[in-house]
Amino acid sequence: MKIHNKPKLTLFHCLNSFKETASMFDGCEVKTVKMACSSMTKDVHLLRAFESGADAVLVLVCREKACRYAEGSIRAEKRVNYVKTILDDIGMDGKRLNIFNTSSKDSGSINDIIKKTLLELEIIGPNPALNHFN
Amino acid sequence: MITASQKPINEIAELVEPYKKVLILGCGTCVKTCFAGGEDEVAVLASVLRLKFKKMARSIEIEELTIERQCENEFIQEASSGVDRNDAILSLACGAGVQAMAKRFAKKVVLPGVNTSFIGIQESPGIFTEECSGCGNCGLATFGGICPVTRCSKKLLNGPCGGSQKGLCEIDPDTPCAWHLIIERLTTLGQLDNLKTYIPPKNWNTSLSGGPRKLIREDHII
Ligand code: SF4
Ligand code: SF4
C-alpha cells in the first residue's frame, strides 16, 4: 500500500536518548514526547498516540546499562512489547510500534531508525483506525 | 485479594458490540492490585476498544469510570449517573462486583470484562499465587500458616505424599511442595508435634461443594 500524504510519527524519548537535528524528519510529520525517564513509557500513552493519528510510534530509550534510573529501559521495553501484542490482536499490526536503544549523541542511528520506519509504513500502510490519507 | 485477569480483547469487543454507549467500570480494590481492572486498565481498554471499533468503521461511545469497590452498595451508588447515561456496563470487577452491579441496576446489561481466578497474594511484583480456597473451616493453625487444602496439589491433610523433590511438588515442579513448606515452618516454630494430630477426612459442606453459601451477622441486621 502506498502512503500518499506525509506519514505521522509519534516519538517518545527519554532525556538522554534523543536530540532533534534539522533534517531528521524530512518526509514525515513528527510529534515528540519528552519523558524524564523511559520508565514513564505507559501503555495508555502509546495507544492514545495511535488514537491521535500516529501511523507509527517510536520509543527511544538509553541502552539498558546506560539507563540512569537502572530499570527504565527494561520497563519501557516490556510495556512496548505488551502494546505490540494488543495491536496485533486488534488487527492494527504491532510492527507500527517499536522501541530502540539510542543515544542523543548519535543522530545518525536515529536518522536510520526513522528511514526504516518510513519504509516499513510503505509496506504495512497507514494507521487503519484513521482515514487521514487520501 | 481476589485475583482476576482481563478477558481477551476480541472477546470483550464481541460482548460490547451490540451497544452504542458503554460504560467501562473499574474497581479500585482487588482487581486494581492485580492489574486487571483499576483505572489504568480501564483507560487502556477504552483506548483499545476505540481503536478497534474505528478500524471496523463502527461507532461506539465509551465512558470511563473507576469506583472504590463494586461489591458494596455504598460505592456502587457513585456510578449511578454513569450507568444511566449508557446502554451497557462493562465491569472490570470480580464476579462478585459484576453481580452486585447487576443486582443494583436491574434493567441494565452488565457484562464481565475479566475472568475471576482465585484468592491470593502478590508474591513478588507481577506474580500472584493462590493461597486460600475459602473452604469455610480454616486449619492454618495446625499447618503453621500454610494451607495444604489450596497449595498441595493433592490436598493432603496428614503429611506429604513423598514425591516432592528438592522442595518442589511432584505434580508441578514450578510450585513449591506445600508440605515441605509446612514442615520447615513448623520446625522453625517448634511445633512439629502438630503432625501427630490426625486430621479426619475434610467435611466439604462448609465449602462451595455444600452449595452457595451465605454469611449472616444477626447483630448487623436491623
Ligand atoms: S484451610 Fe480453608 S480457609 Fe484456611 S486457608 Fe486453607 S482453604 Fe482457606
Ligand atoms: S509433592 Fe508436596 S505439594 Fe505436591 S502433591 Fe506431594 S505433598 Fe502435595
Side-chain angles (χ1 to χ4, degrees):
Chain A
M1 196 190 302
K2 194 83 188 150
I3 293 177
H4 303 290
N5 288 348
K6 277 188 173 182
K8 293 182 180 162
L9 311 188
T10 301
L11 197 154
F12 291 85
H13 66 91
C14 77
L15 292 175
N16 308 308
S17 66
F18 171 76
K19 199 167 164 213
E20 193 170 332
T21 61
S23 62
M24 200 170 254
F25 302 141
D26 284 350
C28 56
E29 278 176 43
V30 177
K31 220 182 257 174
T32 57
V33 183
K34 199 188 289 177
M35 303 182 288
C37 170
S38 52
S39 65
M40 293 170 85
T41 309
K42 277 190 77 178
D43 36 16
V44 69
H45 298 147
L46 302 173
L47 289 159
R48 286 197 182 144
F50 287 111
E51 280 197 78
S52 312
D55 297 302
V57 174
L58 301 176
V59 181
L60 304 184
V61 300
C62 299
R63 279 174 189 81
E64 214 174 289
K65 293 218 165 78
C67 176
R68 290 192 190 174
Y69 299 96
E71 298 157 343
S73 301
I74 304 171
R75 287 179 197 276
E77 187 173 352
K78 290 202 167 197
R79 290 174 195 159
V80 166
N81 287 337
Y82 173 61
V83 176
K84 278 166 89 71
T85 61
I86 294 179
L87 293 174
D88 280 335
D89 283 349
I90 61 170
M92 291 262 308
D93 203 330
K95 286 204 276 295
R96 61 183 75 248
L97 167 66
N98 283 300
I99 181 163
F100 298 94
N101 295 118
T102 58
S103 153
S104 56
K105 294 185 193 98
D106 185 9
S107 59
S109 71
I110 297 171
N111 277 327
D112 289 346
I113 287 167
I114 290 170
K115 273 190 210 138
K116 231 174 81 185
T117 304
L118 295 179
L119 283 175
E120 182 71 54
L121 279 176
E122 294 221 0
I123 301 164
I124 63 175
N127 181 337
L130 301 159
N131 49 6
H132 56 259
F133 292 113
N134 301 319
Chain B
M1 98 184 81
I2 293 170
T3 62
S5 48
Q6 213 170 86
K7 283 181 175 291
I9 185 67
N10 291 321
E11 184 182 338
I12 293 178
E14 262 179 43
L15 290 176
V16 300
E17 208 180 336
Y19 308 100
K20 285 200 173 74
K21 292 178 175 184
V22 175
L23 171 68
I24 303 184
L25 188 62
C27 179
T29 310
C30 301
V31 288
K32 176 191 166 100
T33 313
C34 61
F35 313 116
E39 56 214 322
D40 287 358
E41 291 74 35
V42 168
V44 169
L45 184 58
S47 183
V48 175
L49 285 175
R50 279 192 296 265
L51 282 168
K52 181 167 170 81
F53 280 87
K54 271 188 198 161
K55 183 177 173 280
M56 295 173 2
R58 279 275 323 271
S59 72
I60 187 165
E61 273 181 49
I62 294 177
E63 187 175 334
E64 304 168 30
L65 178 69
T66 298
I67 57 175
E68 192 62 30
R69 275 200 280 286
Q70 278 185 48
C71 54
E72 273 183 58
N73 261 327
E74 237 174 294
F75 297 103
I76 289 177
Q77 204 75 352
E78 291 165 24
S80 51
S81 52
V83 170
D84 288 346
R85 279 192 295 272
N86 287 279
D87 305 328
I89 317 305
L90 176 67
S91 163
L92 299 193
C94 72
V98 176
Q99 292 181 67
M101 289 295 297
K103 226 177 243 187
R104 173 70 178 72
F105 302 104
K107 292 187 178 155
K108 200 62 83 168
V109 172
V110 185
L111 306 161
V114 305
N115 291 324
T116 305
S117 305
F118 53 78
I119 304 174
I121 59 164
Q122 182 162 199
E123 177 117 354
S124 57
I127 297 181
F128 299 86
T129 50
E130 185 163 17
E131 307 288 324
C132 171
S133 322
C135 74
N137 186 11
C138 191
L140 283 176
T142 313
F143 305 123
I146 292 158
C147 174
V149 177
T150 311
R151 296 172 63 189
C152 168
S153 302
K154 295 173 191 163
K155 298 191 189 303
L156 299 177
L157 299 180
N158 287 288
C161 68
S164 73
Q165 284 182 17
K166 295 188 179 132
L168 300 173
C169 173
E170 71 165 356
I171 303 294
D172 174 12
D174 286 337
T175 308
C177 165
W179 273 101
H180 183 96
L181 298 175
I182 291 169
I183 289 167
E184 267 187 345
R185 185 147 157 86
L186 288 178
T187 307
T188 307
L189 297 175
Q191 293 179 353
L192 210 52
D193 273 358
N194 284 7
L195 292 181
K196 290 184 186 152
T197 314
Y198 167 67
I199 315 279
K202 196 165 175 64
N203 177 358
W204 293 99
N205 272 339
T206 54
S207 77
L208 180 59
S209 308
R213 292 168 282 180
K214 195 184 256 181
L215 187 68
I216 296 172
R217 278 286 303 260
E218 196 55 53
D219 55 328
H220 284 261
I221 300 173
I222 297 162

